[in-house]
Amino acid sequence: MTEQKKENSGNMELVVITGMSGAGKTVAMQSFEDLGYYCIDNLPPELLLTFLKLLAHSDHKQRRVAAVMDMRGREYFDSLTGTLDQIDAADGFDLQVLFLDADDSTLVKRYKETRRKHPLSHGGLVSDGIRKEREMLSDLKGRARYLFNTSNLGPRELREKIVESFSESEKGTFTVNVMSFGYKHGIPIDADIALDVRFLPNPYYIEKLKPLTGLQSEVYDYVMEQNDTKELITKLEDLFRFLIPRYKEEGKAQLVIAFGCTGGQHRSVSLAEYFAEKLSEEYKTSVTHRDIKHRKG
């Protein structure tokens, strides 16, 4: 599909909401309804293109449509990829896939809290159903334009993220999301670029800096004054000048750049803060620090 078609304002905008069961698709659909989208919940994929054409030619043409497609209709789900290919090739539609994910432990916890059965567990362990679903969705996840990890998001935060990405006022805005994380808590699954900065001197081993984070000037200045940090920043600025415009040209709506250190408190936070401010000179930018909340005390 050409970018010319993608930029045709006369096309119907279709957002297919999919992802892991328990990752927040119900909240997502409600958010799209609030944004004025015509929402469809779990229509068999074979009927989707026909239904969209009916909407497009009705007296009250729908310009923005969101469709939830998930494993509840698992007997039809195998045909979803083919249906998306047909829609992608058809005139009159701008297709975007939003994939909602969460780590396995979060999904298991959510199922236990709601006491619901996983659609693929067949009466067995929830974890088995999650594993099967993750395997079945791997190809679909790969074609997603938006990938939201909801492990650390409540309903309000997920709504805000959807509004930021899909509201009319933000339409067409390319966003760079910079984040910090700790490797001991796992690599963020929604990172497009993950950078390991554990080779930098660690403020954790300096007694007065240990209880602080990269959000405090004492830690930030310590990290930034290191020669290796200065050289790293120079190389990364050059890399980002090359990479980011090409991600944007490829059609991505957002780019997630993640900096990781051991615990996600000092070095990664400092680098994320620096690049969030630096990149904001050219792009709409946000910054999050995933693992600061893991700090004890």
Side-chain angles (χ1 to χ4, degrees):
M1 180 180 295
T2 65
E3 287 301 313
Q4 183 178 5
K5 179 183 174 184
K6 281 291 184 184
E7 295 173 359
N8 187 344
S9 60
N11 287 348
M12 174 188 289
E13 177 190 346
L14 170 64
V15 180
V16 172
I17 306 165
T18 189
M20 297 298 293
S21 299
K25 291 187 289 294
T26 298
V27 173
M29 186 174 70
Q30 293 168 348
S31 302
F32 278 97
E33 288 177 340
D34 292 341
L35 288 172
Y37 282 75
Y38 184 93
C39 292
I40 308 167
D41 187 16
N42 216 35
L43 186 73
E46 295 95 332
L47 302 179
L48 181 58
L49 181 55
T50 300
F51 187 74
L52 292 174
K53 289 180 178 178
L54 288 174
L55 288 178
H57 295 94
S58 66
D59 292 336
H60 303 286
K61 293 184 178 180
Q62 299 294 333
R63 193 172 63 83
R64 309 173 81 201
V65 177
V68 175
M69 298 285 177
D70 59 27
M71 287 299 174
R72 288 173 296 165
R74 51 193 175 277
E75 63 269 27
Y76 304 108
F77 196 80
D78 290 344
S79 63
L80 179 56
T81 299
T83 297
L84 295 182
D85 289 339
Q86 292 176 9
I87 294 172
D88 227 3
D91 292 328
F93 303 101
D94 288 342
L95 171 64
Q96 303 173 82
V97 176
L98 166 61
F99 192 98
L100 299 177
D101 204 348
D103 58 56
D104 289 0
S105 60
T106 298
L107 295 174
V108 170
K109 180 181 178 182
R110 290 174 182 174
Y111 268 97
K112 286 184 177 179
E113 289 174 348
T114 60
R115 298 185 179 181
R116 294 174 56 233
K117 294 182 179 179
H118 189 281
L120 296 182
S121 65
H122 305 299
L125 296 174
V126 170
S127 56
D128 290 339
I130 291 172
R131 178 182 52 79
K132 294 176 186 176
E133 185 177 33
R134 205 173 283 287
E135 292 174 357
M136 294 175 68
L137 292 176
S138 59
D139 290 341
L140 189 57
K141 181 179 178 179
R143 71 183 294 166
R145 186 174 182 186
Y146 296 87
L147 173 59
F148 293 169
N149 181 358
T150 68
S151 299
N152 298 308
L153 298 179
R156 180 178 61 82
E157 289 83 8
L158 177 55
R159 288 190 185 97
E160 290 174 352
K161 200 170 181 68
I162 289 172
V163 169
E164 179 182 340
S165 299
F166 292 95
S167 69
E168 288 276 37
S169 61
E170 301 292 346
K171 201 63 188 168
T173 301
F174 175 78
T175 303
V176 178
N177 298 320
V178 185
M179 69 183 300
S180 67
F181 70 95
Y183 275 94
K184 70 178 184 180
H185 302 299
I187 299 174
I189 61 177
D190 50 349
D192 296 296
I193 301 171
L195 297 161
D196 187 344
V197 298
R198 287 177 290 184
F199 65 90
L200 296 175
N202 194 349
Y204 179 85
Y205 296 109
I206 299 175
E207 196 63 32
K208 67 178 181 179
L209 301 181
K210 181 177 180 178
L212 306 179
T213 75
L215 296 177
Q216 276 79 52
S217 60
E218 296 93 331
V219 172
Y220 181 89
D221 292 343
Y222 173 85
V223 173
M224 290 298 146
E225 69 187 12
Q226 305 302 316
N227 289 332
D228 281 351
T229 303
K230 294 175 182 178
E231 185 173 354
L232 175 65
I233 286 174
T234 299
K235 293 180 181 298
L236 288 180
E237 286 178 347
D238 186 52
L239 177 66
F240 292 154
R241 276 192 295 268
F242 173 79
L243 282 181
I244 295 177
R246 284 159 177 78
Y247 275 109
K248 186 177 180 181
E249 290 168 6
E250 189 265 340
K252 288 185 71 68
Q254 64 170 348
L255 178 68
V256 180
I257 301 173
F259 291 89
C261 61
T262 304
Q265 309 294 323
H266 300 100
R267 295 164 291 181
S268 61
V269 174
S270 300
L271 268 297
E273 285 289 313
Y274 174 85
F275 278 101
E277 182 176 356
K278 182 68 176 179
L279 294 174
S280 68
E281 298 172 4
E282 297 184 57
Y283 305 101
K284 182 180 178 184
T285 307
S286 65
V287 61
T288 57
H289 302 295
R290 190 193 69 178
D291 293 327
I292 283 183
K293 65 183 181 181
H294 285 100
R295 175 170 291 281
K296 296 180 180 179

